Amino acid sequence: MPPTPTPPRTLRPCAPRPRAPHLRVQESGPLTRSPRTPSLRARSPRLRAALLAAVSAGLVAAALPAPEPLGIGDPLYPHLGNPGYDVLAYDIALTYSGDNRKPLDALTKIDARATERLDRLNLDFSHGTVASVTVDGRPAGFTRTGEDLVVDPALPVAAGDRLTIAVTHTSDPVAAGAEGGWVRTADGLALAGQPHAAHRVFPCNDHPADKALFTFRVTAPKDLVAVANGRAVARAVAGPSATWTFRGGHPMATELAQVAIGRSAVVRHTGPHGLPLRDVVPAADRKLLEPWLRRTPGHLRWMEEKTGRYPFDTYGVLVAAASTGFQLETQTLSLFERSLFTDPELPGWYVESIMVHELAHHWFGNSVTPRSWSDLWLSEGHATWYEALYADETGHEQLERRMREAYTASDGWRASGGPPAAPRPPATDAKTALFRPVVYDGSALVLYALRQEIGAAAFGTLQRRWTAEYAHTNAGTADFVRLASAVAGRDLTGFLRGWLYGEKTPTMPGHPDWRAAPTAASPTAASPTGARPMARGSGGGRSAPPSPELPAGKPA
């Protein structure tokens, strides 16, 4: 496969920390020392040990290089994630005062396993104040550099060892320069961490390659309702406050975390196989939104026919009274703007197709999570595919027509944002900058071409095997190509290379007459003639399906 436009950053791993020189304590006399070294004579054994540890730490710290932001070298976000450890679980406690302009008090505990010797480790974190850090219960040194929190454990951590990091901090919903993370709603807060903003809420290893289990403990005024990913396991009232505890049963990428607090109603239904459904809506809108909420069981049954059983133990719709410009597949509790359901100019079939888009992500993106951000096409392309297929099978918009219009625009999308599996790095740090048309309809077009090439039956088998064999893990483009080849019974590397990495769109199998518009004639490289305007969906910039039914300039 051709290399990505920007090669991964070569990372300099944490320099091995030299062990401190052996300090021999002489029982009959003072320790040989510099004038600043405290005397250990006539001290208790416990104090003597503590002073020795302090001297050792000082010598070791002096040997370390200056703290610097690290990353795992993602081609698009090279400073996200951190080397040297694998997070197993997060336990995040948040205390909300009731004022969404004020920082929340927080305690984030991280259970991890070292993958190499750690004399120092980095966490992604910004837009909050750190009060203290401990590693395995011992106070640790810390400093901030860039958007990293650099932690110096009191003792080195050996490769393979488990460690627990606890950070006492604040989480600021109105921090200067905050782009993503907390979303302030009309009555509280919600989370929107995709693609690189979870660490603006809590310290973490903020890259989808490091999935982990999550527990949230949210304390808020008891007249409000707090919800989070996973299932509720406890609620305790103490005076004017209540604490809700939620725990997810499957690993999750940090970008999919969800915590919402507000004057909400929790509406419960039952999905296929007795699946508990929990929807969270503004309390005043419960009756207004109920007809939409009742559609979810049917959406689940439709998706299960295509891709196999729903991969999590609960699902729901979270409706936020906020203007975000996007919908988001936060795990087990998808985030939607209230206006999506209340705008009378949006056709009902279109709203349902967006609901299916976010639901489809629970197979493609949440359960099977991209290994790198360059693999985003696997997530957004599949979600857009099922969104379009649903509209087609319910008789509202022809899939072939939508794909032909996407083909017309495809060369322009590639020229603007790069090919589907090698997108160009975003020009800005804006939350929506990565979510360009090429990762939505441009990537669904790849799946359409693949189905044309191998046939609908083999394509359906591929979809079910992909979601089953890589369930709750990470997978990348190479994995998909290998599995597609295995299902087809022939090597598809050559066929898919052009579709995934080519600057120009290959000839569509079965439709040799389809033509891509010249890029010079498409100055925005965004929409084909007659296409519906860009409507922001999952991830903040999903291309809405082409249709003249939506009035010009109407966002979703």
Side-chain angles (χ1 to χ4, degrees):
M1 296 292 181
T4 55
T6 301
R9 173 179 173 234
T10 301
L11 298 174
R12 178 164 61 87
C14 296
R17 177 185 290 181
R19 292 193 179 276
H22 179 65
L23 300 178
R24 184 186 300 269
V25 178
Q26 301 176 4
E27 294 298 328
S28 58
L31 177 71
T32 302
R33 63 188 190 276
S34 71
R36 293 187 179 183
T37 304
S39 171
L40 300 185
R41 184 171 48 189
R43 304 277 188 180
S44 70
R46 179 177 296 177
L47 179 57
R48 186 161 48 211
L51 289 170
L52 282 172
V55 172
S56 299
L59 291 170
V60 167
L64 284 173
E68 62 176 338
L70 296 180
I72 61 172
D74 186 281
L76 301 181
Y77 296 106
H79 285 94
L80 284 184
N82 294 286
Y85 61 92
D86 173 31
V87 177
L88 306 175
Y90 293 92
D91 190 314
I92 302 170
L94 297 161
T95 299
Y96 175 64
S97 68
D99 186 341
N100 64 8
R101 298 165 297 178
K102 293 182 178 179
L104 290 75
D105 292 326
L107 173 62
T108 296
K109 295 180 180 178
I110 301 172
D111 181 20
R113 178 181 287 111
T115 57
E116 60 187 62
R117 174 187 164 99
L118 290 174
D119 299 298
R120 167 183 287 169
L121 62 94
N122 283 37
L123 297 170
D124 299 305
F125 185 54
S126 64
H127 301 135
T129 300
V130 177
S132 66
V133 180
T134 64
V135 176
D136 293 331
R138 300 181 182 91
F142 62 91
T143 190
R144 309 289 288 273
T145 177
E147 294 199 349
D148 278 19
L149 172 65
V150 183
V151 178
D152 288 296
L155 299 173
V157 180
D161 280 1
R162 294 277 291 267
L163 68 153
T164 299
I165 308 157
V167 184
T168 302
H169 62 98
T170 63
S171 185
D172 193 347
V174 293
E179 167 64 27
W182 286 117
V183 173
R184 293 172 60 209
T185 66
D187 58 355
L189 293 169
L191 274 188
Q194 195 180 74
H196 53 48
H199 70 275
R200 298 172 187 180
V201 175
F202 57 92
C204 57
N205 204 28
D206 198 6
H207 192 279
D210 194 1
K211 297 168 69 168
L213 297 173
F214 276 77
T215 297
F216 289 98
R217 307 173 197 275
V218 186
T219 300
K222 64 184 180 182
D223 60 332
L224 302 180
V225 172
V227 294
N229 309 93
R231 302 184 72 170
V233 297
R235 179 178 182 268
V237 176
S241 299
T243 299
W244 290 259
T245 302
F246 297 86
R247 185 168 293 121
H250 298 89
M252 179 172 74
T254 50
E255 43 125 356
L256 301 173
Q258 182 56 263
V259 174
I261 308 165
R263 300 189 182 280
S264 305
V266 179
V267 184
R268 301 190 185 278
H269 296 95
T270 302
H273 323 292
L275 178 73
L277 302 181
R278 168 198 56 163
D279 300 310
V280 183
V281 302
D285 293 326
R286 178 171 182 162
K287 289 185 178 179
L288 175 68
L289 296 172
E290 177 70 26
W292 293 110
L293 306 180
R294 284 199 292 262
R295 288 168 166 79
T296 298
H299 298 160
L300 279 158
R301 285 189 290 270
W302 185 85
M303 279 298 305
E304 288 192 341
E305 290 175 1
K306 308 296 182 186
T307 58
R309 193 154 177 164
Y310 176 72
F312 297 98
D313 53 9
T314 185
Y315 183 66
V317 167
L318 168 63
V319 180
S323 179
T324 61
F326 56 84
Q327 331 302 327
L328 188 62
E329 66 271 18
T330 43
Q331 192 159 303
T332 71
L333 190 60
S334 294
L335 175 66
F336 292 88
E337 282 187 306
R338 179 182 181 276
S339 62
L340 179 70
F341 302 102
T342 60
D343 189 332
E345 296 186 50
L346 294 179
W349 69 264
Y350 171 72
V351 175
E352 285 201 66
S353 72
I354 301 303
M355 294 175 72
V356 169
H357 180 113
E358 304 309 325
L359 174 61
H361 269 305
H362 283 71
W363 285 264
F364 302 94
N366 296 15
S367 175
V368 186
T369 302
R371 182 169 285 119
S372 78
W373 281 108
S374 293
D375 298 316
L376 180 63
W377 80 273
L378 286 164
S379 173
E380 297 298 350
H382 275 99
T384 304
W385 171 261
Y386 286 104
E387 167 200 324
L389 190 62
Y390 184 83
D392 178 82
E393 291 192 2
T394 54
H396 294 101
E397 184 172 59
Q398 291 183 353
L399 176 68
E400 184 174 317
R401 173 189 169 187
R402 177 169 175 174
M403 292 298 99
R404 182 166 189 166
E405 292 182 345
Y407 191 94
T408 301
S410 179
D411 278 3
W413 291 341
R414 290 171 184 245
S416 177
R424 295 195 184 94
T428 71
D429 194 43
K431 180 178 170 341
T432 60
L434 179 61
F435 296 90
R436 296 169 288 212
V438 72
V439 304
Y440 291 95
D441 279 46
S443 296
L445 188 67
V446 176
L447 299 175
Y448 180 80
L450 179 60
R451 192 178 74 161
Q452 291 288 105
E453 178 72 12
I454 67 176
F459 182 81
T461 298
L462 170 62
Q463 298 294 281
R464 287 185 286 274
R465 284 189 58 181
W466 177 253
T467 57
E469 295 181 20
Y470 291 97
H472 304 297
T473 63
N474 293 90
T477 300
D479 300 309
F480 187 80
V481 173
R482 280 193 296 268
L483 185 59
S485 298
V487 170
R490 57 189 172 92
D491 188 358
L492 292 171
T493 303
F495 171 76
L496 285 170
R497 180 181 291 115
W499 282 99
L500 293 170
Y501 295 97
E503 293 183 6
K504 297 292 184 181
T505 311
T507 301
M508 177 61 70
H511 297 288
D513 57 316
W514 286 11
R515 295 286 183 270
T519 56
S522 180
T524 61
S527 301
T529 302
R532 174 187 305 180
M534 295 299 103
R536 291 178 177 179
S538 162
R542 193 190 50 74
S543 170
S547 168
E549 293 185 38
L550 262 183
K554 190 69 182 176

